[in-house]
Amino acid sequence: MRVLLVEDETAIARFIADGLEEEGFAVDVAGNGREGLRLALDNLAEYDLFLLDWMLPGASGIEICRAIRRENKTTPVIFLTAKDTVDDVVFGLETGANDYLRKPFAFEELLARMRVLLRNGDGEQNVFRYADIELDISGHRVLKAGKQVELTQKEFALLELLLRNKGKVCRRTRIIEKIWDIHFDHDTSVIDVYINFLRKKLDLPGQPSFIQTLRGVGYRVNNDV
Amino acid sequence: MKLSFRNRIALFTALAAAVTIGLVFLVVYGVVYFTAYSHLDSDIRQEKEEVLHNLRWVGDSIFIEHMTEWEESEHLQIEVNPTFLQLVDADGHLLFRSTNLDKDVLLFDPALSTEAFFNSRIESQRIRQGQFPILNERNVVIGRLTVGISQEESAVVLHNLRNTLWIAFPLLLLILFVATAIAASQGIAPVQQLIRTASGISETNIHDRLPLPGNKDEIYRLATTINELLQRVENGMKREKQFTADASHEIRTPLTAIRGTLEVLIRKQRAPAQYEEKIGRVIAEVDRLNTMLEQLLQLARLENNPVPVKPAPVPLHDFLVALTEKWQPRLSEKNMELGLQIPPGAVLFADATLLNIILDNLIGNAIKYGRPGGRIDCIWQADNTVLTIRDDGPGISSEHLPHIFDRFYRTDNARSSVVQGAGLGLSIAKKLADISGIVLLVKSEHGTEVSLHFQHSF
């Protein structure tokens, strides 16, 4: 999951980015409104969620939100702001934001709200399975034959991406976009390293891997037989 | 007795009218009175001429010729338009009287030597009578003729006139009072309307304004004046609201950072170095919060309490040396240089405590926003008592210049938090400068130049 955080206060941006990265999100941080607007519009499809401060130098969070909504109706937007009157909240939500958190907020609450917004529509699928592998998003754990397997955040995110798109090819560029943030230097061989980690932890010994390699294109987890 | 505005206007008008109408009535009555009497008097004179025409005198003796005149009915009877005649000699002995006089005697005054007119009564009749001396050739009074005619008609006219005026006077005043009161209340209806609208404006609808009348009259001016007042109140409220919003934003930002950093930190076990780094950051945020609260309190105190200003001679050079000493660590951190171009003997007249805070804020600001590796100069111009603090940093763009003394105002560059600060330092410096009578001017072309203009007060 890739998130764009637009926040001019570095101290706030840093802890949100740190915390979210620990949770397996790829986080891009923009320190002012102009940069935020540019990043949002340039990579609109890659982001799964936007976290916007309201009062920003350059362009306000409201302007960024409006710009996003003109192009894209569904990607969730959460306002993080010190503005706290009911009018402000209503105005923020009417702009097209999905949620609104008043500063100071609890990080856990931010996480919980982000997860709610990132659930898949009505299905609200939180558990993905393939054979005896079970990925529980809300519990943030992976079970293999009922036993918990320890995964790093990047491994978890990679597995989630593959299982969410079961039966479809996840292209290498898409994997990079979704799991690594913008500062990553497009050396996609890192994907192969993480795929190998996953295979080591989850494959059955002596059987073909549950992740298929499509050379030069990407990876796929097949639909259950 | 307290009268309402409209009744006061009505009363004043009624009083003025009472005097005017009273005078007019007096004149009218007087004119009618004199016209009536001069008419009677000319009738009497005519009668006199007729009588004299029938008299003859020789020496002191008066001879009455027989004349048809005497027989006229007006001298015989008393009821309808009688004319009374009476003739006496110089000693007052009766020579002749008209028949209708009977035994009544027409009054005459022996002291009167010239002709005279006066009023009297015969029975119930009001009489106007004229008394004329009869002179012989040598101008000696040889007798007196008194002619009286009824003035009943004139008296009735005058009487009626007087009564009419007496009744009309209060009636007119009453009508005038009521009419003026109505007109006045109509006249102040727009004012009443203003009062109603204005009293409906409270803080919830402070942006409402009074409707302006079409006519640019006094009411229009009143309404615009009230509207201007409302605008000032609204601006004040807006500033206050802005301040609260800014203050809460500035307090919540470090709080959010502190809370979030700590929260993320304790989500799992970490290496000691990571704890140190994060806690160090939290402490920096706490310091920032603390500085801001100090500044806010300082501003609040400045606003609520009059600050005593005790100007005294300040040896500027030593003063600035002492002040800049504490900034040395920050200066060397940014590799900046601070130059004092102040002659050692320079003395200015100011409150040292306030000046210290002002200059501390300005120099701190110059270091904060100055270019790393750049320089700051403090220059004293003795001839026009101006102290200038100049840096060679990026300067302030013209759109921000008018606002830099606003509380919590920071330029976008300043906000992107490489530089910490809540944007209160300059507000404090400005406020203190105002209090101490120092004019603070900011220029920004190449770098920023703040100049303090001291008053020539010594």
Side-chain angles (χ1 to χ4, degrees):
Chain A
M1 291 285 146
R2 191 157 154 195
V3 173
L4 176 65
L5 168 64
V6 189
E7 169 63 73
D8 60 330
E9 290 288 337
T10 42
I12 294 175
R14 202 174 305 170
F15 89 75
I16 295 176
D18 287 355
L20 290 181
E21 270 159 17
E22 280 176 14
E23 285 298 313
F25 290 93
V27 183
D28 292 340
V29 180
N32 64 60
R34 268 185 303 275
E35 195 193 341
L37 199 57
R38 186 180 58 76
L39 279 178
L41 294 182
D42 285 358
N43 312 294
L44 203 56
E46 277 102 81
Y47 290 117
D48 299 289
L49 191 138
F50 296 94
L51 293 174
L52 306 178
D53 186 11
W54 184 324
M55 285 177 281
L56 289 164
S60 75
I62 295 290
E63 289 169 57
I64 300 174
C65 182
R66 284 197 179 123
I68 292 170
R69 281 289 172 260
R70 267 198 297 276
E71 305 290 325
N72 173 309
K73 298 277 178 254
T74 50
T75 310
V77 173
I78 301 178
F79 270 123
L80 304 174
T81 168
K83 283 186 180 274
D84 66 340
T85 64
V86 174
D87 286 348
D88 292 332
V89 177
V90 170
F91 183 71
L93 293 176
E94 279 175 353
T95 312
N98 300 70
D99 211 339
Y100 189 108
L101 271 177
R102 303 170 203 209
K103 291 176 181 173
F105 53 84
F107 182 73
E108 293 297 339
E109 188 181 347
L110 172 65
L111 263 185
R113 287 177 185 270
M114 284 173 67
R115 289 206 172 112
V116 167
L117 291 175
L118 289 170
R119 273 181 207 149
N120 276 354
D122 339 309
E124 290 192 4
Q125 196 178 3
N126 272 314
V127 180
F128 297 89
R129 288 195 185 79
Y130 177 81
D132 61 346
I133 300 165
E134 187 181 313
L135 177 117
D136 174 7
I137 291 186
S138 50
H140 202 72
R141 57 184 185 167
V142 174
L143 301 175
K144 163 90 177 155
K147 272 174 68 185
Q148 190 160 344
V149 180
E150 288 300 324
L151 291 189
T152 66
Q153 297 302 342
K154 283 276 180 281
E155 290 164 359
F156 189 92
L158 187 54
L159 183 61
E160 184 189 335
L161 184 67
L162 288 167
L163 291 184
R164 272 184 192 275
N165 299 286
K166 213 157 48 172
K168 288 181 250 173
V169 181
C170 293
R171 293 178 181 276
R172 299 177 70 86
T173 48
R174 179 159 150 78
I175 293 172
I176 284 289
E177 279 168 9
K178 282 287 177 193
I179 297 172
W180 278 270
D181 62 48
I182 200 162
H183 302 297
F184 188 75
D185 60 358
H186 298 278
D187 175 9
T188 57
S189 61
V190 71
I191 301 172
D192 309 319
V193 177
Y194 276 91
I195 291 286
N196 269 333
F197 289 156
L198 279 181
R199 282 174 172 159
K200 265 184 209 140
K201 287 183 180 175
L202 297 169
D203 276 353
L204 284 174
Q207 288 195 12
S209 174
F210 77 106
I211 305 169
Q212 293 183 329
T213 309
L214 290 95
R215 200 162 299 281
V217 180
Y219 294 93
R220 176 172 63 197
V221 172
N222 273 333
N223 282 317
D224 290 282
V225 193
Chain B
M1 185 176 66
K2 290 260 192 285
L3 283 175
S4 71
F5 180 67
R6 54 168 217 162
N7 284 347
R8 225 158 50 227
I9 289 186
L11 188 68
F12 283 133
T13 320
L15 282 177
V19 174
T20 321
I21 295 174
L23 280 173
V24 169
F25 279 12
L26 274 179
V27 169
V28 167
Y29 186 79
V31 167
V32 172
Y33 183 92
F34 286 112
T35 312
Y37 279 107
S38 67
H39 217 77
L40 288 174
D41 293 351
S42 78
D43 282 356
I44 289 172
R45 238 183 231 112
Q46 200 183 337
E47 197 67 35
K48 174 202 90 176
E49 290 306 321
E50 276 177 36
V51 171
L52 288 185
H53 191 71
N54 291 305
L55 288 183
R56 226 163 309 141
W57 49 86
V58 176
D60 291 349
S61 314
I62 298 168
F63 301 93
I64 304 166
E65 290 194 339
H66 173 80
M67 44 184 170
T68 48
E69 182 66 24
W70 306 115
E71 314 295 298
E72 279 173 20
S73 65
E74 55 182 28
H75 304 300
L76 306 176
Q77 44 122 352
I78 195 165
E79 285 78 22
V80 185
N81 288 328
T83 303
F84 306 99
L85 293 174
Q86 178 185 275
L87 189 61
V88 295
D89 64 13
D91 304 324
H93 295 116
L94 182 69
L95 296 179
F96 172 80
R97 76 160 38 137
S98 57
T99 338
N100 54 8
L101 256 183
D102 207 4
K103 56 188 178 300
D104 295 311
V105 178
L106 275 180
L107 298 171
F108 82 97
D109 189 345
L112 288 172
S113 53
T114 55
E115 65 171 48
F117 296 91
F118 48 92
N119 299 329
S120 67
R121 262 172 194 281
I122 291 175
E123 287 178 347
S124 63
Q125 286 229 48
R126 270 179 287 234
I127 302 293
R128 177 71 174 173
Q129 61 184 64
Q131 183 180 312
F132 306 98
I134 301 169
L135 305 172
N136 64 7
E137 297 77 16
R138 299 188 305 274
N139 267 340
V140 174
V141 178
I142 51 168
R144 287 194 175 80
L145 173 66
T146 307
V147 180
I149 57 174
S150 166
Q151 56 158 301
E152 207 58 43
E153 265 176 49
S154 306
V156 167
V157 167
L158 282 175
H159 179 76
N160 286 345
L161 179 64
R162 203 168 55 232
N163 284 351
T164 310
L165 293 185
W166 272 125
I167 294 165
F169 186 69
L171 212 62
L172 264 176
L173 287 188
L174 187 68
I175 291 167
L176 196 72
F177 180 85
V178 172
T180 318
I182 290 170
S185 82
Q186 295 265 320
I188 59 169
V191 176
Q192 305 272 27
Q193 180 64 37
L194 284 189
I195 292 169
R196 268 195 300 279
T197 321
S199 62
I201 293 179
S202 67
E203 52 194 288
T204 49
N205 58 346
I206 188 73
H207 47 272
D208 284 2
R209 291 290 175 272
L210 303 180
L212 296 179
N215 263 352
K216 297 207 169 179
D217 52 11
E218 289 86 345
I219 304 293
Y220 182 92
R221 286 224 305 283
L222 179 62
T224 28
T225 310
I226 294 176
N227 280 347
E228 281 161 14
L229 177 68
L230 282 173
Q231 188 61 49
R232 286 197 291 278
V233 172
E234 190 186 346
N235 289 348
M237 279 172 64
K238 259 191 203 145
R239 273 199 302 279
E240 234 19 64
K241 216 171 161 183
Q242 185 61 44
F243 172 73
T244 318
D246 290 343
S248 76
H249 180 262
E250 292 301 324
I251 290 168
R252 281 189 178 128
T253 299
L255 277 181
T256 309
I258 291 167
R259 188 198 164 123
T261 308
L262 292 177
E263 216 183 342
V264 170
L265 186 65
I266 58 161
R267 294 184 89 230
K268 56 183 187 189
Q269 287 283 324
R270 301 185 190 264
Q274 238 181 326
Y275 282 117
E276 271 174 37
E277 190 233 323
K278 302 277 181 191
I279 290 171
R281 245 187 251 161
V282 167
I283 291 172
E285 289 295 322
V286 172
D287 285 345
R288 174 180 163 189
L289 201 52
N290 191 46
T291 311
M292 188 176 59
L293 284 181
E294 290 288 335
Q295 290 181 323
L296 271 180
L297 283 177
Q298 206 171 9
L299 268 179
R301 277 195 293 268
L302 287 181
E303 244 148 59
N304 294 328
N305 307 313
V307 180
V309 182
K310 299 185 208 97
V314 176
L316 194 56
H317 187 268
D318 297 350
F319 186 80
L320 273 170
V321 168
L323 179 71
T324 50
E325 205 138 277
K326 70 166 229 193
W327 287 109
Q328 284 310 327
R330 288 277 286 127
L331 283 165
S332 38
E333 209 175 284
K334 282 190 83 176
N335 194 23
M336 291 175 89
E337 208 178 305
L338 193 143
L340 297 184
Q341 295 172 35
I342 295 162
V347 172
L348 65 79
F349 201 68
D351 183 306
T353 321
L354 300 186
L355 186 63
N356 190 55
I357 303 173
I358 296 170
L359 289 176
D360 197 49
N361 272 309
L362 294 179
I363 290 173
N365 236 49
I367 297 172
K368 225 187 270 180
Y369 299 113
R371 182 172 59 88
R375 60 174 293 121
I376 298 166
D377 287 295
C378 299
I379 305 148
W380 173 245
Q381 292 158 263
D383 27 318
N384 43 10
T385 57
V386 173
L387 179 67
T388 307
I389 298 162
R390 194 168 61 198
D391 67 50
D392 56 356
I396 305 162
S397 65
S398 53
E399 55 171 307
H400 296 304
L401 266 184
H403 301 290
I404 57 163
F405 293 124
D406 293 356
R407 293 173 298 190
F408 292 118
Y409 191 85
R410 281 183 297 166
T411 62
D412 286 355
N413 289 337
R415 224 171 243 287
S416 60
S417 321
V418 186
V419 182
Q420 293 290 346
L424 290 172
L426 279 182
S427 307
I428 293 172
K430 173 81 169 119
K431 193 140 259 163
L432 287 176
D434 288 347
I435 291 169
S436 8
I438 302 168
V439 178
L440 209 58
L441 294 178
V442 184
K443 261 199 314 203
S444 190
E445 282 156 17
H446 313 289
T448 308
E449 191 177 299
V450 184
S451 51
L452 291 86
H453 298 249
F454 295 89
Q455 290 170 340
H456 294 266
S457 53
F458 72 109

Short mmCIF file of all heavy atoms in Angstrom, two decimals, chain B residues 9-26 168-180:
data_model
loop_
_atom_site.label_atom_id
_atom_site.label_comp_id
_atom_site.label_asym_id
_atom_site.label_seq_id
_atom_site.Cartn_x
_atom_site.Cartn_y
_atom_site.Cartn_z
N ILE B 9 -39.44 67.82 20.30
CA ILE B 9 -39.53 68.61 19.06
C ILE B 9 -40.88 69.29 18.98
O ILE B 9 -40.98 70.51 18.74
CB ILE B 9 -39.34 67.70 17.83
CG1 ILE B 9 -37.88 67.25 17.75
CG2 ILE B 9 -39.74 68.43 16.55
CD1 ILE B 9 -37.57 66.47 16.51
N ALA B 10 -41.95 68.53 19.26
CA ALA B 10 -43.31 69.07 19.18
C ALA B 10 -43.48 70.22 20.16
O ALA B 10 -44.07 71.26 19.83
CB ALA B 10 -44.32 67.96 19.47
N LEU B 11 -42.92 70.06 21.36
CA LEU B 11 -43.08 71.10 22.38
C LEU B 11 -42.36 72.38 21.97
O LEU B 11 -42.91 73.48 22.08
CB LEU B 11 -42.55 70.58 23.72
CG LEU B 11 -42.84 71.50 24.90
CD1 LEU B 11 -44.33 71.54 25.20
CD2 LEU B 11 -42.06 71.06 26.13
N PHE B 12 -41.12 72.20 21.47
CA PHE B 12 -40.37 73.39 21.03
C PHE B 12 -41.13 74.11 19.93
O PHE B 12 -41.28 75.33 19.95
CB PHE B 12 -38.98 73.00 20.53
CG PHE B 12 -38.03 72.71 21.64
CD1 PHE B 12 -37.23 71.58 21.62
CD2 PHE B 12 -37.96 73.56 22.75
CE1 PHE B 12 -36.36 71.32 22.66
CE2 PHE B 12 -37.09 73.29 23.78
CZ PHE B 12 -36.29 72.16 23.75
N THR B 13 -41.62 73.34 18.96
CA THR B 13 -42.35 73.95 17.85
C THR B 13 -43.58 74.68 18.38
O THR B 13 -43.88 75.80 18.00
CB THR B 13 -42.79 72.86 16.86
OG1 THR B 13 -41.74 71.95 16.72
CG2 THR B 13 -43.16 73.46 15.51
N ALA B 14 -44.30 74.02 19.30
CA ALA B 14 -45.53 74.61 19.84
C ALA B 14 -45.23 75.90 20.59
O ALA B 14 -45.96 76.89 20.46
CB ALA B 14 -46.22 73.60 20.75
N LEU B 15 -44.12 75.90 21.35
CA LEU B 15 -43.77 77.12 22.09
C LEU B 15 -43.44 78.26 21.13
O LEU B 15 -43.91 79.39 21.31
CB LEU B 15 -42.57 76.85 23.01
CG LEU B 15 -42.90 76.10 24.30
CD1 LEU B 15 -41.64 75.82 25.10
CD2 LEU B 15 -43.91 76.89 25.12
N ALA B 16 -42.62 77.95 20.12
CA ALA B 16 -42.27 78.97 19.13
C ALA B 16 -43.53 79.48 18.45
O ALA B 16 -43.72 80.69 18.26
CB ALA B 16 -41.31 78.39 18.10
N ALA B 17 -44.43 78.54 18.12
CA ALA B 17 -45.67 78.93 17.45
C ALA B 17 -46.54 79.77 18.38
O ALA B 17 -47.20 80.72 17.95
CB ALA B 17 -46.42 77.68 17.00
N ALA B 18 -46.54 79.44 19.68
CA ALA B 18 -47.36 80.19 20.64
C ALA B 18 -46.97 81.66 20.62
O ALA B 18 -47.82 82.55 20.57
CB ALA B 18 -47.18 79.60 22.04
N VAL B 19 -45.66 81.90 20.63
CA VAL B 19 -45.18 83.29 20.62
C VAL B 19 -45.61 83.97 19.31
O VAL B 19 -46.18 85.06 19.32
CB VAL B 19 -43.64 83.32 20.79
CG1 VAL B 19 -43.13 84.74 20.64
CG2 VAL B 19 -43.26 82.75 22.15
N THR B 20 -45.35 83.28 18.19
CA THR B 20 -45.65 83.87 16.88
C THR B 20 -47.15 84.13 16.73
O THR B 20 -47.58 85.25 16.40
CB THR B 20 -45.20 82.91 15.75
OG1 THR B 20 -43.97 82.33 16.13
CG2 THR B 20 -45.05 83.64 14.44
N ILE B 21 -47.93 83.09 17.01
CA ILE B 21 -49.39 83.23 16.84
C ILE B 21 -49.91 84.30 17.78
O ILE B 21 -50.75 85.13 17.41
CB ILE B 21 -50.09 81.88 17.10
CG1 ILE B 21 -49.68 80.87 16.04
CG2 ILE B 21 -51.62 82.06 17.10
CD1 ILE B 21 -50.20 79.48 16.30
N GLY B 22 -49.38 84.32 19.02
CA GLY B 22 -49.80 85.33 19.98
C GLY B 22 -49.57 86.73 19.43
O GLY B 22 -50.46 87.59 19.49
N LEU B 23 -48.37 86.94 18.86
CA LEU B 23 -48.05 88.25 18.30
C LEU B 23 -48.99 88.58 17.15
O LEU B 23 -49.55 89.69 17.07
CB LEU B 23 -46.60 88.27 17.80
CG LEU B 23 -45.55 88.47 18.91
CD1 LEU B 23 -44.15 88.30 18.33
CD2 LEU B 23 -45.73 89.87 19.53
N VAL B 24 -49.20 87.60 16.26
CA VAL B 24 -50.07 87.82 15.10
C VAL B 24 -51.48 88.19 15.58
O VAL B 24 -52.09 89.16 15.11
CB VAL B 24 -50.10 86.57 14.20
CG1 VAL B 24 -51.20 86.70 13.15
CG2 VAL B 24 -48.75 86.37 13.55
N PHE B 25 -51.96 87.44 16.55
CA PHE B 25 -53.31 87.71 17.08
C PHE B 25 -53.39 89.10 17.68
O PHE B 25 -54.37 89.84 17.49
CB PHE B 25 -53.68 86.65 18.12
CG PHE B 25 -54.17 85.36 17.50
CD1 PHE B 25 -54.00 85.11 16.13
CD2 PHE B 25 -54.80 84.40 18.28
CE1 PHE B 25 -54.45 83.94 15.58
CE2 PHE B 25 -55.26 83.22 17.73
CZ PHE B 25 -55.08 82.98 16.37
N LEU B 26 -52.33 89.48 18.41
CA LEU B 26 -52.33 90.82 19.01
C LEU B 26 -52.40 91.88 17.93
O LEU B 26 -53.17 92.85 18.03
CB LEU B 26 -51.05 91.01 19.84
CG LEU B 26 -51.13 90.49 21.28
CD1 LEU B 26 -49.80 90.71 21.99
CD2 LEU B 26 -52.26 91.21 22.04
N ALA B 168 -59.21 80.15 19.51
CA ALA B 168 -58.37 79.63 18.43
C ALA B 168 -56.94 79.40 18.90
O ALA B 168 -56.29 78.44 18.48
CB ALA B 168 -58.37 80.60 17.26
N PHE B 169 -56.47 80.26 19.82
CA PHE B 169 -55.07 80.19 20.23
C PHE B 169 -54.68 78.80 20.79
O PHE B 169 -53.82 78.12 20.25
CB PHE B 169 -54.77 81.33 21.22
CG PHE B 169 -53.34 81.44 21.61
CD1 PHE B 169 -52.38 81.85 20.68
CD2 PHE B 169 -52.92 81.11 22.90
CE1 PHE B 169 -51.05 81.95 21.03
CE2 PHE B 169 -51.59 81.21 23.26
CZ PHE B 169 -50.66 81.64 22.33
N PRO B 170 -55.34 78.37 21.88
CA PRO B 170 -54.94 77.04 22.40
C PRO B 170 -55.24 75.91 21.42
O PRO B 170 -54.48 74.94 21.33
CB PRO B 170 -55.78 76.89 23.66
CG PRO B 170 -56.89 77.84 23.51
CD PRO B 170 -56.41 78.97 22.66
N LEU B 171 -56.36 76.10 20.66
CA LEU B 171 -56.74 75.04 19.72
C LEU B 171 -55.66 74.87 18.66
O LEU B 171 -55.23 73.75 18.36
CB LEU B 171 -58.07 75.43 19.06
CG LEU B 171 -58.96 74.25 18.68
CD1 LEU B 171 -59.37 73.47 19.93
CD2 LEU B 171 -60.18 74.74 17.91
N LEU B 172 -55.20 76.01 18.14
CA LEU B 172 -54.13 75.97 17.12
C LEU B 172 -52.88 75.31 17.67
O LEU B 172 -52.26 74.47 17.03
CB LEU B 172 -53.79 77.40 16.69
CG LEU B 172 -54.48 77.90 15.43
CD1 LEU B 172 -54.11 79.37 15.20
CD2 LEU B 172 -54.05 77.06 14.24
N LEU B 173 -52.55 75.71 18.93
CA LEU B 173 -51.33 75.16 19.53
C LEU B 173 -51.45 73.65 19.70
O LEU B 173 -50.51 72.90 19.43
CB LEU B 173 -51.06 75.82 20.88
CG LEU B 173 -50.56 77.25 20.81
CD1 LEU B 173 -50.14 77.73 22.20
CD2 LEU B 173 -49.37 77.37 19.86
N LEU B 174 -52.62 73.21 20.12
CA LEU B 174 -52.83 71.78 20.33
C LEU B 174 -52.67 71.02 19.02
O LEU B 174 -51.95 70.01 18.94
CB LEU B 174 -54.22 71.55 20.92
CG LEU B 174 -54.49 70.11 21.35
CD1 LEU B 174 -53.62 69.74 22.55
CD2 LEU B 174 -55.96 69.89 21.68
N ILE B 175 -53.33 71.57 17.97
CA ILE B 175 -53.24 70.91 16.65
C ILE B 175 -51.79 70.88 16.19
O ILE B 175 -51.28 69.86 15.73
CB ILE B 175 -54.12 71.66 15.62
CG1 ILE B 175 -55.59 71.45 15.95
CG2 ILE B 175 -53.82 71.18 14.20
CD1 ILE B 175 -56.53 72.38 15.20
N LEU B 176 -51.13 72.02 16.40
CA LEU B 176 -49.74 72.12 15.96
C LEU B 176 -48.86 71.10 16.70
O LEU B 176 -48.04 70.41 16.11
CB LEU B 176 -49.23 73.54 16.23
CG LEU B 176 -47.95 73.88 15.50
CD1 LEU B 176 -48.23 74.05 14.02
CD2 LEU B 176 -47.34 75.14 16.08
N PHE B 177 -49.10 70.99 18.02
CA PHE B 177 -48.30 70.07 18.83
C PHE B 177 -48.48 68.63 18.33
O PHE B 177 -47.52 67.92 18.09
CB PHE B 177 -48.73 70.18 20.30
CG PHE B 177 -47.97 69.25 21.21
CD1 PHE B 177 -46.74 69.63 21.73
CD2 PHE B 177 -48.46 68.00 21.53
CE1 PHE B 177 -46.03 68.78 22.55
CE2 PHE B 177 -47.76 67.14 22.36
CZ PHE B 177 -46.54 67.55 22.88
N VAL B 178 -49.75 68.26 18.13
CA VAL B 178 -50.03 66.89 17.70
C VAL B 178 -49.42 66.64 16.32
O VAL B 178 -48.74 65.63 16.09
CB VAL B 178 -51.55 66.63 17.69
CG1 VAL B 178 -51.85 65.28 17.05
CG2 VAL B 178 -52.09 66.69 19.11
N ALA B 179 -49.65 67.63 15.42
CA ALA B 179 -49.14 67.45 14.05
C ALA B 179 -47.62 67.34 14.04
O ALA B 179 -47.04 66.49 13.37
CB ALA B 179 -49.59 68.62 13.17
N THR B 180 -46.97 68.20 14.85
CA THR B 180 -45.51 68.15 14.87
C THR B 180 -45.03 66.83 15.46
O THR B 180 -44.05 66.25 14.99
CB THR B 180 -44.95 69.32 15.71
OG1 THR B 180 -45.68 70.48 15.41
CG2 THR B 180 -43.49 69.53 15.40
#
